[in-house]
Amino acid sequence: MGVGGLYKHTVSGNQAAGFHVGGGIGIGNVATFNTSNLGFGLNLLGGFHFEVPGASHVMVSFDGGPSFNLIASTPSSTSFQVSAFSPALGASIIYIF
């Protein structure tokens, strides 16, 4: 269990459709083998977004980018990877209020 957030800024296009960049941070428990350790992550992201035709306030976003992860185990474990931000190739569906 943990908490985190991402910030996205549109660099080309508009709120309805375009390309964005941003970053994020997260902290929480990471399950490793038979223990749970504190984990921390820093992310940079880039991607594109668009509104779903016919569905007001619903957007689809595809994001990916580099990630630095630190797991506070003994000894400490760090990793760096470039990947999508979800198992669905970085896809997320967002409802905007």
Side-chain angles (χ1 to χ4, degrees), residues 46-93:
F48 62 95
H49 60 275
F50 58 90
E51 286 184 339
V52 175
S56 63
H57 303 287
V58 178
M59 296 185 68
V60 175
S61 179
F62 291 90
D63 301 305
S67 175
F68 173 76
N69 301 304
L70 173 67
I71 300 173
S73 58
T74 306
S76 291
S77 171
T78 60
S79 69
F80 179 80
Q81 61 189 18
V82 176
S83 63
F85 280 179
S86 78
L89 298 176
S92 58
I93 299 173

Side-chain angles (χ1 to χ4, degrees), residues 2-62:
V3 65
L6 293 172
Y7 172 78
K8 299 178 184 181
H9 176 74
T10 302
V11 294
S12 178
N14 55 36
Q15 186 177 5
F19 292 94
H20 55 262
V21 296
I25 189 169
I27 189 167
N29 289 328
V30 178
T32 55
F33 302 108
N34 60 354
T35 63
S36 181
N37 296 307
L38 180 66
F40 173 77
L42 291 173
N43 305 298
L44 294 176
L45 70 91
F48 62 95
H49 60 275
F50 58 90
E51 286 184 339
V52 175
S56 63
H57 303 287
V58 178
M59 296 185 68
V60 175
S61 179
F62 291 90

